[in-house]
Amino acid sequence: MLRPVSAWIDDYRPGGGVYDEMFTADRQVRPAYEQVVGGLERIDPTEMRTRVEFLQHIYADQGVTFDIGGQETPFPLDLLPRIIQPADWAVVEAGVRQRVAAQERFLADVYGEGDLFRDGVIPRQVVTSSHHFHRAAAGLRPVNDVRIHVAGIDLIRDPEGRFRVLEDNFRVPSGVSYVMTNRRAITSALPEVAGEHRIRPVQTYPSRLRAALTACAPRGIDDPTIVVLTPGVYNSAYFEHALLARMMGVELVEGRDLLCQNGHVSVRTTRGLSPVHVIYRRVDDEYLDPSQFRADSLLGVAGLINAARRGNVTIANAVGNGVADDKLVYTYVGDLIRYYLGQEPVLPGVDTWRLEEPAHREEVLDRLDELVVKPVDGSGGKGISIGPASSRAELDALRQRIIDDPRGWIAQPVVQLSTVPTVIDGTLAPRHVDLRPFAINDGSDVWVLPGGLTRVALPEGELIVNSSQGGGSKDTWVLEDDSAPEPVVIPNAFVPESISLSVQPPDHNMVEPHSKQQEQQQQGGAGGC
Amino acid sequence: MLSRIAESLYWIGRYVERAEDTCRILDVHLQLMVDDPSTDPQESATTLLAVLGMPGTTGPVAPEELLTMLQYDHTSTCSVLAALEGAREAARRARETVSPEMWESLNATWNAVRAGQLRRMRPVAGLTYVRERCALIAGMADSTMSHDEGWHFLRLGRAIERVDMSARLMLWAAVSRRSSSAWNNALRACGAIHAFRRTHGAATLDEDAAEFLLVDRLFPRSVVYSLTMAESALAELEPGSLRSGFDSEALRILGRARTELEYEPLSELLTELPEALARLQQVCISVDAAISQRYFVGALSPAWTGGGV
C-alpha cells in the first residue's frame, strides 16, 4: 500500500546515541528540513512513487556508474536531499581551507628543507616510513607552490552534531562528478522542492578546476594544453574522469597516448605529436612512471617525473602527496596546523591510538573487540575492522597483523556517524552518512565546493559508507546565507518584435472544409461495397 | 514530383524539427527555474513566449501554464502536439512517398503524445522522449528514403526551421540580461554545450557562445551551418546550372543572409544582436514565401530549363 509522506515522517524512529540531522532527540523536525518536509508532503503518494522510480533508473540510463569488481553499477541516489545550514557550512569551509593550507606547508617542508623534523613537530621516521613518501618528489618545487590542486576531506558528525575529520585525501580524491550529477537528478525529481530553496550551486566546479590547472602550468605557458590522465575504462571512477574531461573541455588520455622525449611530454594525435603542459592525473603515484616506480606499470608513461622535475610539465596532484593522507600522519595534523599557521584546528579529528607506541598498542590489543582498526594507507574502506562486528577469529588474525607491523595500523573508537532519513522500501529509515567536501587550490586561494559528496551506508546500522562497499549517496544542499543579499532581479530586455512561427498554409486550390467534405463523399461513394 | 507532395515533405521537415527544438527550450527553461534563484518565473515565461512568437499571449503566464501551452496547446504554433500533428497530417497527405518506417515512427510518436504520454512521465523524461523520437524520425527519413527530390524538400524544411528556432533561442539568451547563465542555457537548448566545450573549454564567454551558435561551420545547429544546408538542398532542386548569379529567389535570400553573417565583423554583429536575430527570422519568412511561390503554388511561375543536357 502506498503511504503518504506524512506517514513516513510519523513512523520515523531515529536511533539512540546518534545525531540525526533531520530530527531532534524529541522527534521535532529541525528547522533546516521544515521546508523540505512541507514540500514533500504536498506530493501525493502515487506521484512520489514515480519519482523514486525515476531516480532508480535515471543513473542506469545516463551511465552514471561506479565500477565494483569489474561490474558497472549505477550509483544509488536517495530522493531526500541532505541539508546543511549556512552557519554549519561556514565551519566546514574554514576547517577544510585551514587543513589544506597546513598540509601544503607540510608537504613543501617534507620534500624541501625539513624544518619540522628539526623543530620536533613530528618524528622524521613517521614520514619516511610512510608507503606514500616518495624520494622522487624531493626537491621538486611546483611552479605556483601548489601540490594539493584538489583535496577531498572526509568528515563525519559526532553524536553532538559536531563535524570531525575522519581522513584526508590529497592524492586523487574521487566523487565530485556525483556531486554534479546528483544535483541535476534531484532537481529534476523534486523541482518544486528545490525551487523553494536557495541552494548554492555546484556546477562551477569544472571551470574552477580548469582555472586552477591553467594557473599551475609551466612558466611561460599562457594557454596550456591540459589533459586528464585515466587508468582506463576499467577503473572504478572512469565515469568521473570522462565527465571532468568533458566538462572542462580537455582531452581524456591514457598512458599509452602520451610520450616523453627529452624531458617534454607529448600526446599522440592524428596530426603528429602535440605538447602537453598540465596533466590532471587520476593514476596513483606507483603507476605513474615505470622508470621511477613500478616497472611493470602500463598505466603511466616513462620519463614523466623527469619531465616534471625539469619544469616542462605539471602533474596535478603532485607526486608524493600520499604522505599527508597517511593515517599515522593524520594524528599529527592538529600539531601541524599550530606549527605552520599558528592557529587552533577548526575541525577536530577523531581520537586515535598510534600502535607503534607500546602503551597504546597494549591498550588497543586488549580492546580490539570494541575499536575500529584501519590500515594507515588504505582507501575505499578496504581492510577496516570494526571490533563489535568482527568474529573471534578475525580479531585474532588482526592481532597478529598489528604485532607484525605496528606502523601499518591505527585504532580509533567506534564513532557513531550521524544519520539522515533515507527512502528504504517505501518509507523513511535512518542511515549513516559522511560528507566529503572538495577543495581546489589555484595558488592564490583555496576554494571549497559548497556541498560535497554525502555518502550513505545503505544496509541498516552499517558504518562504512564507501561506494566500493555498496554505499549510496545523497544530494547535499548548502543553503544560501539569509544575510546574503537577495538576488537582484534585473528585468529582461524587451523582445524587439515577436514574430509568429510559420505554419503550413491550407490547400492552395481548395477551401479546407469544402475539400474535406468532398473527400469524404468520394470515399462514401466508392466504399459502398 | 507533385507540388503538393513536395510541400508536404517540406513541412514534415519543419514540424519535426520544431517539436524537437521546443522540447529543448522547455527543458532548459525548467532547469533554469530550479537553478537560478534570480529568475522571475512569470516574467521568464512571458519572455519565452514572446520569443517564440506566440500569438495572443498578452499578460502574465503562470509557469505551470507554460508547460501545458508548449506541450499540448492545439491552437499554438509551436506546441509539441501541434507540431507533431502538423507533421503527421502532412505525412498522411504524402503517405505513398514517405517510407513506411518513417511514417510509423512519426505516427507512433504522435499517437503517444496525443494519448497523454508526456503527462504520465516526469516533465524532463517526457521532453527527452520527444527529442529522441524526433531524432528517430529524421534518421528514418535519411536512411530509408531515396535521396531524391522529395528528400531534399524534407531537408530544406528541416534546415530552415533550424535557422528560425536557433535565432529565437539566441534572442532568448540575448534579452535575458540578468542571468549569467543565459548563454550557457542557449547552448544547452541548441544541444551545443558539449560541442562548444570541446572547442572552447569550460569557461563560457558570451561572445564565444554567440559566435559558436551563429557562425560555426562545423556544428550542425549553428545558423551558418543550417543556412548552408538549406542552400545545398535548394541547389540540388534547381534544374541546371547557370554561369552567373542564382535563378532562385530563395537561394538569393539565403546566400545574402549567410554572407552577411560570415563577412560582417563579429563585434558589429554582437552589438546589435537582437536586431540581427530578428532579421534572421524575417529571412526565414521570406525564404518560405519564395519556396512556396516557386515550387508549391501549382507551378505558377514555370522556369526555363533550357534545352541543354
Side-chain angles (χ1 to χ4, degrees), chain A residues 47 50-51 54 183-184 187-192 194-195 197-199 201 203 206-207 210 245-252 487-509 512 515 519, chain B residues 7-8 11 14-15 18 31 34-35 37-38 40 43-44 47 49-55 77-78 86 90 93 122 124-125 161 164-165 168 171 175-178 188 194 197-198 200-203 274 278 281-282 285 288 292 296-297:
Chain A
E47 176 65 21
T50 65
R51 298 192 186 197
F54 168 76
R183 177 63 51 82
R184 249 290 148 60
T187 52
S188 304
L190 296 173
E192 60 280 80
H197 289 78
R198 287 174 62 198
I199 310 165
Q203 308 296 350
S207 49
R210 189 181 160 119
R246 186 161 59 79
M247 304 271 278
M248 287 196 287
V250 304
E251 296 290 347
L252 179 65
V488 183
V489 178
I490 305 167
N492 285 337
F494 178 63
V495 178
E497 50 183 320
S498 179
I499 303 169
S500 295
L501 280 157
S502 314
V503 290
Q504 182 174 9
D507 280 4
H508 300 292
N509 305 326
E512 181 73 5
S515 77
E519 283 174 21
Chain B
E7 185 173 23
S8 287
W11 281 101
R14 285 202 72 157
Y15 281 135
R18 186 174 301 177
Q31 191 64 38
V34 180
D35 282 352
S38 67
D40 173 357
E43 195 213 6
S44 184
T47 306
L49 288 174
V51 165
L52 289 175
M54 295 275 273
T77 46
C78 73
R93 278 158 193 264
R122 307 268 326 114
V124 177
E161 185 71 21
D164 197 347
M165 290 301 264
R168 288 167 196 270
L171 184 58
V175 298
S176 301
R177 282 187 301 210
R178 58 149 196 288
R188 273 168 48 205
H194 175 76
R197 283 202 187 113
R198 305 264 320 154
H200 289 277
Q281 292 172 49
Q282 291 294 359
I285 291 175
D288 189 79
S292 174
F296 305 150
V297 190

Side-chain angles (χ1 to χ4, degrees), chain B residues 164-272:
Chain B
D164 197 347
M165 290 301 264
S166 293
R168 288 167 196 270
L169 269 165
M170 273 184 277
L171 184 58
W172 183 40
V175 298
S176 301
R177 282 187 301 210
R178 58 149 196 288
S179 174
S180 54
S181 56
W183 279 100
N184 244 321
N185 291 325
L187 286 168
R188 273 168 48 205
C190 288
I193 193 84
H194 175 76
F196 178 80
R197 283 202 187 113
R198 305 264 320 154
T199 316
H200 289 277
T204 312
L205 297 175
D206 290 0
E207 299 80 53
D208 288 345
E211 180 187 6
F212 190 79
L213 291 178
L214 271 178
V215 296
D216 191 273
R217 290 204 184 92
L218 300 182
F219 180 67
R221 286 178 178 278
S222 81
V223 171
V224 161
Y225 189 103
S226 307
L227 286 170
T228 311
M229 182 164 120
E231 282 180 272
S232 85
L234 270 175
E236 295 282 345
L237 293 169
E238 276 304 299
S241 62
L242 296 170
R243 284 184 64 170
S244 63
F246 293 97
D247 191 35
S248 149
E249 176 67 13
L251 259 181
R252 278 197 292 269
I253 301 170
L254 284 172
R256 270 204 303 272
R258 179 178 54 78
T259 44
E260 188 189 318
L261 289 178
E262 288 197 297
Y263 290 95
E264 182 97 356
L266 191 69
S267 55
E268 282 176 31
L269 265 182
L270 293 180
T271 45
E272 339 185 293

Side-chain angles (χ1 to χ4, degrees), chain A residues 319-489:
Chain A
V319 171
N321 278 8
V323 65
D325 294 8
D326 188 288
K327 293 198 178 62
L328 188 54
V329 172
Y330 162 91
T331 63
Y332 293 91
V333 173
D335 298 329
L336 295 178
I337 291 172
R338 287 179 207 103
Y339 174 67
Y340 289 117
L341 308 178
Q343 301 167 353
E344 279 303 307
V346 174
L347 292 169
V350 174
D351 299 333
T352 305
W353 284 276
R354 298 167 183 161
L355 298 181
E356 277 187 312
E357 294 177 21
H360 280 198
R361 187 163 66 237
E362 285 308 307
E363 186 185 352
V364 167
L365 289 177
D366 282 348
R367 298 172 54 196
L368 270 188
D369 57 342
E370 49 186 290
L371 298 178
V372 176
V373 179
K374 299 176 179 175
V376 290
D377 57 353
S379 67
K382 283 195 276 288
I384 293 180
S385 152
I386 296 181
S390 302
S391 69
R392 192 77 250 160
E394 284 169 338
L395 291 180
D396 288 341
L398 178 65
R399 181 187 312 275
Q400 195 52 51
R401 282 204 295 276
I402 292 174
I403 294 169
D404 291 346
D405 177 22
R407 170 64 179 87
W409 303 85
I410 51 127
Q412 294 172 339
V414 177
V415 186
Q416 287 297 331
L417 278 58
S418 58
T419 56
V420 180
T422 301
V423 180
I424 306 275
D425 298 333
T427 189
L428 287 181
R431 289 294 181 267
H432 294 290
V433 297
D434 80 343
L435 177 66
R436 176 179 285 183
F438 292 90
I440 292 176
N441 187 359
D442 65 7
S444 53
D445 184 34
V446 177
W447 175 76
V448 186
L449 175 71
L453 182 65
T454 290
R455 295 180 297 182
V456 188
L458 292 175
E460 190 173 357
E462 175 65 58
L463 289 169
I464 296 181
V465 295
N466 298 79
S467 345
S468 46
Q469 309 281 320
S473 74
K474 276 175 172 291
D475 190 17
T476 310
W477 295 359
V478 173
L479 300 184
E480 201 79 63
D481 195 340
D482 278 339
S483 66
E486 279 288 324
V488 183
V489 178

Side-chain angles (χ1 to χ4, degrees), chain A residues 28-45:
Chain A
Q28 296 299 306
V29 175
R30 294 184 197 270
Y33 284 87
E34 276 170 6
Q35 213 170 4
V36 170
V37 170
L40 290 178
E41 281 178 343
R42 281 194 291 277
I43 300 173
D44 79 63

Side-chain angles (χ1 to χ4, degrees), chain A residues 146-159:
Chain A
V146 175
R147 287 182 172 80
I148 305 171
H149 304 83
V150 178
I153 304 209
D154 289 354
L155 307 177
I156 57 166
R157 295 185 90 164
D158 66 16

